[in-house]
Amino acid sequence: MNILVCISIVPDTTSKINFKNENTTFETDGVQFIINPNDEFGLTRAIWLQQSHGAKVTVVTVGDSSCEPILRKCLAIGADQAIRIDTVPKDGFQVVAYLTSLLENNKYDLIITGRESIDYNGGMVGGMLATKLKIPYLSNCIYLDIKDDNLNLEREFDGGKEKLTASLPIVIGSQKGLVEEKDLIIPNMRGIMQARQKPLEVFSPDQVESLTQDLNFEKPSEKGPVRLVDAENIDELIDLLENEAKVI
Amino acid sequence: MTVLVVIESELGQIKKNGLELASYGRKIANDQGITLTAVGFNIKDYDVLSKYGVDKLFNIETGEDIFFDVDRYSESIAKIVKKENTSLIIVSSSADGRYLGPVLSIKTESAYISNVVEVPSQYDPIQVKCSCFTNKAFKISKSLKNRTIISLLSNSFGLNEKASSLELINHNYENGTVNLKVNSVDKAQEKVSIADAQIVVSGGRGLKGPENWHLIEDLAEVLGAATACSKPVSDMGWRPHSEHVGQTGKPVASNLYIAVGVSGAIQHVAGINSSKVKVVINNDPEAPFFKSADYGIVGDAFDVIPRLTEKLKMRK
Ligand SMILES: Cc1cc2nc3c(=O)[nH]c(=O)nc-3n(C[C@H](O)[C@H](O)[C@H](O)COP(=O)(O)OP(=O)(O)OC[C@H]3O[C@@H](n4cnc5c(N)ncnc54)[C@H](O)[C@@H]3O)c2cc1C
Ligand SMILES: Nc1ncnc2c1ncn2[C@@H]1O[C@H](COP(=O)(O)O)[C@@H](O)[C@H]1O
């Protein structure tokens, strides 16, 4: 079994978000980058399948050379090989187009994307990729089990979850629940040493069109100071919520 | 230009986000001087759409198949999009809406823009403001296609009544193209979901343990609110992970968000920041959450919350 885990590289969750060039470009100076948390859950699940099913795990990212340390980290976590498609994507559809061209020459049984990336929050790569490939997509995947070619899956939605069956190949959108936080693999020294020897291939793709263009960014307006109410004066809070904020 | 809104329903009843989508679509239709078309599945109470300005509804009966099937739903909607030559399709930002959007975008050759928070500032091509970096910023996105799908962030437009005369059209439920089958659904009984809720009550580590969660549940019950929690609370198994909100959990965009014993870490606040009004109850006056709150009480949750719940009960 061949598994492809798509890795989006995003600002660390504590990052302050700023823009430059008249608010047209995200300021990366001083920002620490990490594996998109949703992808990290998917990667861990893939490594378990490597252990239980002898699956071969490939990680891929569409991005420039600054992404390589993160790909090495994925290798240290346990991926067998890494691929970097050397371009900076303009939108999710472009990522899909580059991934599709990679898939023309490589077959994967299971493709894992994250439910969404926490930077642009598009939540689109998995669904678009699967639909282009004419294979099923399961978003918000919180359970996956493979027997032969058959899959048992669970999807979470607002206010519930559902059980599904499917067969390979498939694309899933992973998130917390697929594995738990405590299960995430932290690379050890041996993993880090081995990662240096593992293949990291770089492809230069032909340019493709994007479907959208980000014109500029803005930050939410500053809000005023909090209005504190005395703990002994709960009626005042209720009154404020009812008559000033009008939310209850 | 033509516009189509995808209306979600549950057991035949239109969801609140469906009415918000209709209100939003009506505004666009008015601005553009066009009619508003909607599509839905198994809708029974379609009359309410005539209160929210929908001119035409394609209602699709799915028969035995009662589950949301992204493949068949998108196939069916794609047929209507082609027939009506739709240029703007609006889906919700619910889990189902954001599941449908990207799949539909490939099937209808549309651009897709998610987390939209306003009416487009320009139509030809579509240019619209959306939330990004988990609510830490906004961006203006421009579509480069002549057909665009947008997912509207819930509670960002609100409800707006407008009478219309509704034409109802029954439409065919198309077959699927891939092998993915829902076998059973497990719905949290009678609970308001975080995505649908007007009010969310959230508890953090300050509540000390799962045995104290009745404080949160009782308060949520009097307010008709959904319950949520911080990440460590779900990591420790005090609450199911489906209640985890924040940057790596569920997003919250309610009208009122009440945080009890939550410190207000940047990852938590980012995910709930598009809520309109935030109330923080924390015994530490230095808790970072007070910086992003609208109202606050410095006090012990175990003392404040039961009294707040009691007062709200009496008010009813
Ligand atoms: C990659 C990453 C992603 C993350 N994503 C998320 C996310 O999506 N969502 C999320 O929530 N967190 C997330 N976090 C975790 C986040 O950084 C914080 O650790 C977390 O939000 C803290 O949870 P808490 O406020 O419940 O607990 P604490 O930080 O321990 O705060 C407890 C609060 O309760 C107060 N308190 C204590 N006793 C009482 C009392 N009796 N009455 C009233 N108040 C009391 C304390 O003053 C304190 O402010 C993430 C972290 C990382 C590294
Ligand atoms: N540049 C990228 N390279 C590889 N995979 C990506 C990239 N961007 C997004 N993805 C994948 O698509 C998922 C959803 O991303 P998005 O649609 O951007 O929210 C991510 O969790 C990744 O798995």
Side-chain angles (χ1 to χ4, degrees):
Chain A
M1 181 165 37
N2 281 319
I3 304 177
L4 183 68
V5 187
C6 304
I7 303 286
S8 160
I9 292 167
V10 299
D12 168 51
T13 51
T14 54
S15 302
K16 294 258 184 302
I17 304 299
N18 288 305
F19 302 98
K20 59 181 179 184
N21 303 338
E22 296 178 351
N23 288 327
T24 56
T25 321
F26 175 54
E27 172 64 86
T28 54
D29 263 11
V31 173
Q32 174 110 26
F33 284 87
I34 58 167
I35 305 174
N36 183 36
N38 289 313
D39 304 351
E40 203 176 345
F41 293 114
L43 177 59
T44 302
R45 188 69 190 89
I47 301 301
W48 290 0
L49 288 166
Q50 181 193 54
Q51 289 156 1
S52 61
H53 289 61
K56 182 174 174 199
V57 178
T58 305
V59 289
V60 61
T61 196
V62 180
D64 62 20
S65 59
S66 68
C67 298
E68 292 201 357
I70 301 284
L71 286 179
R72 286 279 171 217
K73 182 175 176 197
C74 296
L75 294 171
I77 287 171
D80 298 293
Q81 61 167 14
I83 297 171
R84 181 169 70 80
I85 300 176
D86 186 23
T87 177
V88 178
K90 290 202 192 71
D91 72 352
F93 181 78
Q94 247 188 359
V95 173
V96 171
Y98 292 128
L99 292 174
T100 320
S101 55
L102 172 76
L103 294 167
E104 276 165 15
N105 305 316
N106 300 276
K107 282 260 168 294
Y108 296 94
D109 306 287
L110 173 64
I111 300 174
I112 301 179
T113 63
R115 172 190 73 184
E116 69 172 14
S117 58
I118 62 163
D119 50 3
Y120 295 96
N121 304 104
M124 62 177 94
V125 167
M128 285 183 171
L129 180 64
T131 311
K132 263 197 113 173
L133 297 171
K134 298 194 174 12
I135 62 176
Y137 174 59
L138 188 75
S139 78
N140 300 72
C141 182
I142 52 167
Y143 177 82
L144 171 144
D145 181 48
I146 305 182
K147 277 206 188 68
D148 303 322
D149 268 357
N150 299 316
L151 296 161
N152 284 311
L153 299 155
E154 278 183 37
R155 175 178 80 105
E156 181 181 87
F157 54 85
D158 308 322
K161 53 189 179 184
E162 59 190 14
K163 290 191 162 65
L164 305 95
T165 46
S167 53
L168 295 174
I170 191 171
V171 181
I172 66 158
S174 71
Q175 63 169 52
K176 182 176 165 193
L178 185 60
V179 305
E180 292 304 326
E181 186 80 19
K182 62 176 176 8
D183 299 323
L184 291 176
I185 301 167
I186 298 157
N188 56 23
M189 211 47 206
R190 190 161 152 261
I192 295 167
M193 297 303 283
Q194 282 174 342
R196 296 196 187 145
Q197 312 300 325
K198 291 179 181 172
L200 191 164
E201 277 182 79
V202 180
F203 292 109
S204 308
D206 298 332
Q207 282 301 312
V208 296
E209 306 272 283
S210 67
L211 297 185
T212 58
Q213 186 190 348
D214 293 336
L215 300 179
N216 53 50
F217 297 89
E218 52 186 76
K219 299 225 282 180
S221 44
E222 293 284 321
K223 62 168 277 311
V226 58
R227 171 114 179 227
L228 286 181
V229 175
D230 193 278
E232 293 314 314
N233 206 350
I234 289 191
D235 286 324
E236 187 188 342
L237 178 68
I238 294 177
D239 180 58
L240 287 167
L241 294 179
E242 191 170 354
N243 300 314
E244 187 179 271
K246 299 191 169 55
V247 286
I248 57 172
Chain B
M1 134 123 206
T2 45
V3 58
L4 177 75
V5 294
V6 180
I7 303 285
E8 288 173 26
S9 60
E10 194 174 318
L11 300 171
Q13 304 290 308
I14 293 170
K15 289 199 207 165
K16 205 208 94 218
N17 72 27
L19 300 180
E20 185 176 22
L21 254 57
S23 307
Y24 179 83
R26 186 65 254 170
K27 166 83 176 126
I28 291 173
N30 281 357
D31 289 353
Q32 296 293 300
I34 54 175
T35 58
L36 176 61
T37 305
V39 53
F41 295 80
N42 309 314
I43 295 180
K44 293 205 178 72
D45 61 343
Y46 42 77
D47 277 343
V48 301
L49 292 178
S50 62
K51 284 206 212 107
Y52 289 88
V54 175
D55 298 307
K56 188 155 84 173
L57 171 71
F58 288 97
N59 198 19
I60 299 168
E61 288 294 336
T62 64
E64 300 283 277
D65 182 8
I66 55 163
F67 305 129
F68 174 80
D69 181 330
V70 74
D71 185 30
R72 296 189 71 181
Y73 276 40
S74 56
E75 282 296 309
S76 307
I77 298 169
K79 274 271 154 59
I80 293 168
V81 166
K82 291 206 176 111
K83 189 167 132 187
E84 299 281 300
N85 196 14
T86 308
S87 48
L88 179 63
I89 304 157
I90 302 160
V91 301
S92 86
S93 61
S94 72
D96 288 356
R98 295 195 58 190
Y99 190 8
L100 182 69
V103 172
L104 190 60
S105 87
I106 297 295
K107 292 186 177 178
T108 57
E109 293 173 42
S110 316
Y112 174 64
I113 301 174
S114 49
N115 294 319
V116 166
V117 296
E118 277 177 5
V119 166
S121 54
Q122 198 179 295
Y123 284 95
D124 199 15
I126 294 286
Q127 201 168 295
V128 74
K129 182 169 168 177
C130 35
S131 168
C132 60
F133 293 97
T134 325
N135 305 320
K136 289 179 193 165
F138 297 103
K139 63 175 184 176
I140 308 292
S141 280
K142 178 176 159 184
S143 169
L144 303 177
K145 297 281 276 187
N146 48 22
R147 183 178 291 145
T148 306
I149 302 179
I150 63 182
S151 82
L152 179 69
L153 200 67
S154 52
N155 292 322
S156 56
F157 187 78
L159 301 183
N160 219 338
E161 292 199 16
K162 174 100 182 26
S164 59
S165 59
L166 181 74
E167 180 193 353
L168 182 68
I169 303 165
N170 288 314
H171 199 263
N172 192 30
Y173 189 38
E174 299 297 328
N175 284 324
T177 56
V178 295
N179 172 17
L180 177 68
K181 191 173 176 324
V182 184
N183 298 312
S184 67
V185 170
D186 181 7
K187 280 225 168 75
Q189 285 304 314
E190 311 221 8
K191 267 192 67 182
V192 196
S193 77
I194 292 170
D196 262 348
Q198 296 291 304
I199 305 179
V200 173
V201 181
S202 182
R205 204 143 56 176
L207 283 155
K208 312 281 188 269
E211 67 281 4
N212 298 323
W213 236 262
H214 60 94
L215 292 178
I216 299 293
E217 282 171 337
D218 292 348
L219 176 57
E221 196 183 323
V222 279
L223 291 168
T227 53
C229 69
S230 68
K231 178 167 169 286
V233 164
S234 80
D235 287 346
M236 291 183 293
W238 294 1
R239 299 297 288 176
H241 84 86
S242 57
E243 284 197 3
H244 160 200
V245 297
Q247 191 165 13
T248 55
K250 285 215 170 78
V252 181
S254 55
N255 282 331
L256 172 61
Y257 184 77
I258 304 179
V260 185
V262 182
S263 59
I266 188 166
Q267 299 100 347
H268 184 90
V269 174
I272 60 96
N273 230 353
S274 42
S275 293
K276 301 240 159 60
V277 175
K278 280 151 281 194
V279 175
V280 168
I281 296 158
N282 196 305
N283 64 1
D284 174 8
E286 302 294 321
F289 219 148
F290 285 119
K291 290 207 177 61
S292 43
D294 299 283
Y295 302 101
I297 291 184
V298 179
D300 182 357
F302 296 89
D303 161 50
V304 173
I305 300 302
R307 287 192 289 123
L308 177 61
T309 307
E310 220 29 63
K311 287 254 157 92
L312 285 166
K313 254 189 212 148
M314 272 157 38
R315 173 178 155 270
K316 280 211 158 170

